[in-house]
Amino acid sequence: KAQAAVKIAKRSGKVEIYRNGVLKEAQRRFTLESKLRDALAQGGLTLAFQPLIHLQTGEITGFEALARWHDPELGHVSPAEFIAVAEESGLIAPLGRWATYEATQTLSRWDAKFGEPLPVGMNVNLSPIQMARDDVASMFEEALHYSGIAGNRLTAEITESAIVADPGKARKLLVALKDLRMHIAMDDFGTGYSNLASLHSLPIDILKIDRSFVFSMLEDRDKAVIVRTILSLAESLNLRVTAEGIETQELALELQRMGCWQGQGYYFARPMSEADAFDYWRARWNFETV
Ligand code: C2E
Ligand code: MG
Ligand code: MG
Ligand code: MG
């Protein structure tokens, strides 16, 4: 019966189509991996910076550094795709190192341009695989040392899966980052497996509510309930909350009303180049933006 099915599939070309699909995907992976390796070695990646806004005062508190890759042949490759390739190929450690150095160097270039340290911080994303494979604490220590940036201007964005993977190792790392005076944010909060006990016992400072809960919370009661629950959980545990994916003024005002600390989203600004992000900050740093 199975053989007959294969014969029919072969005759109808389905097996060929399947093989071509798998082959194409493998080829793209292979191409992406070798091009990403070259881009990392030759300075082909850039960072984009998206402002983080204090929802109660409207002040710009910092920026999230987001990796960008434009390849001459492939065009713009999304972080979702190339971060996954980096994680599968071992390139995530050098990519993460590059992003951390670049983020701290950007802060120090902004400080130099302004003539004194900007009252803003920088958030850097950490992949769970990078955390498992690389010495992330000494990476931050070196980046802070070479840039002269104070540790309390940096926030490491980690995910729930990094803690689930190896709680002991995660604790050691987070304690080491706190010794550098850095802040720790739990990114995409609500989408993974969260151990509430670990939220309480690990030195976590901030929960970032995933944008899948934020963007539809005005129309979808379930989403609003989740956001409200995260806010009250955070209050009980003495954590601050950042809402990501704020695309409208209505959302910004509602989250402000709910007492949410910080916001991020296209309503305020899209991720920008280093120069544009500096200009954005300089034009608004003493004005309200909410
Ligand atoms: P993330 O850390 O959760 O970053 C937030 C993502 O939401 C960014 O996508 C940002 O552009 C997007 N975003 C912000 N505001 C809005 C909004 O109002 N509406 C919508 N629709 N989207 C919004 P991006 O830049 O494509 O990055 C995707 C993911 O790739 C990031 O999610 C992060 O997990 C990963 N990533 C990016 N750069 C790095 C990096 O340097 N290292 C690591 N390990 N991961 C990175
Ligand atoms: Mg993030
Ligand atoms: Mg996020
Ligand atoms: Mg994410």
Side-chain angles (χ1 to χ4, degrees):
K1 241 190 188 169
Q3 266 185 340
V6 169
K7 267 185 198 158
I8 292 164
K10 264 188 185 159
R11 222 174 283 145
S12 66
K14 274 184 188 150
V15 167
E16 272 311 305
I17 290 166
Y18 171 76
R19 264 202 211 126
N20 279 336
V22 169
L23 199 65
K24 271 203 182 130
E25 212 179 290
Q27 272 168 348
R28 175 149 175 104
R29 275 286 144 117
F30 185 78
T31 307
L32 284 175
E33 187 186 323
S34 78
K35 280 181 172 284
L36 184 59
R37 196 179 300 275
D38 293 346
L40 267 169
Q42 293 158 11
L45 296 185
T46 54
L47 287 180
F49 304 93
Q50 189 178 31
L52 301 159
I53 309 295
H54 191 298
L55 287 175
Q56 308 303 323
T57 66
E59 282 170 306
I60 301 161
T61 52
F63 291 85
E64 178 174 4
L66 294 158
R68 293 290 178 263
W69 181 24
H70 181 88
D71 178 81
E73 285 165 34
L74 300 172
H76 176 79
V77 185
S78 79
E81 190 174 20
F82 71 77
I83 295 291
V85 169
E87 288 178 333
E88 284 165 20
S89 61
L91 290 171
I92 193 64
L95 190 156
R97 280 187 174 253
W98 165 79
T100 303
Y101 277 83
E102 192 59 25
T104 50
Q105 290 299 329
T106 296
L107 272 182
S108 90
R109 285 191 289 265
W110 285 347
D111 292 354
K113 215 162 147 179
F114 189 57
E116 59 179 283
L118 270 60
V120 300
M122 187 78 82
N123 286 27
V124 176
N125 288 285
L126 293 182
S127 147
I129 295 172
Q130 176 194 3
M131 285 167 65
R133 297 232 183 118
D134 200 5
D135 185 351
V136 169
S138 67
M139 169 190 80
F140 276 111
E141 195 174 3
E142 284 163 28
L144 290 170
H145 177 76
Y146 287 117
S147 61
I149 294 297
N152 62 6
R153 290 173 74 189
L154 283 194
T155 299
E157 295 197 2
I158 63 166
T159 56
E160 294 155 282
S161 54
I163 290 168
V164 175
D166 190 342
K169 188 166 181 169
R171 164 178 300 279
K172 262 195 193 154
L173 170 62
L174 299 193
V175 168
L177 298 186
K178 292 308 291 180
D179 284 344
L180 295 172
R181 300 178 62 223
M182 288 174 53
H183 310 281
I184 316 284
M186 189 69 94
D187 204 357
D188 306 326
F189 188 71
T191 59
Y193 288 100
S194 260
N195 180 343
L196 292 187
S198 74
L199 271 188
H200 183 59
S201 66
L202 291 172
I204 291 160
D205 306 292
I206 298 153
L207 300 181
K208 289 191 82 173
I209 309 181
D210 192 67
R211 78 177 131 94
S212 60
F213 304 116
V214 174
F215 88 102
S216 59
M217 63 175 261
L218 296 178
E219 302 85 44
D220 184 341
R221 270 191 57 87
D222 294 349
K223 301 283 162 66
V225 167
I226 291 169
V227 170
R228 216 177 293 281
T229 304
I230 294 174
L231 286 169
S232 78
L233 171 76
E235 192 172 3
S236 322
L237 294 175
N238 223 341
L239 303 170
R240 287 169 289 162
V241 176
T242 301
E244 52 176 45
I246 300 178
E247 296 193 357
T248 63
Q249 187 181 38
E250 291 71 51
L251 271 174
L253 293 173
E254 177 62 7
L255 285 156
Q256 179 188 60
R257 205 186 56 74
M258 290 165 87
C260 185
W261 169 60
Q262 189 172 253
Q264 174 181 6
Y266 294 170
Y267 167 62
F268 300 109
R270 294 196 174 239
M272 295 171 275
S273 70
E274 177 175 331
D276 287 352
F278 179 81
D279 290 344
Y280 177 93
W281 175 80
R282 192 164 49 185
R284 290 170 185 78
W285 73 289
N286 45 9
F287 293 101
E288 293 188 0
T289 45
V290 177

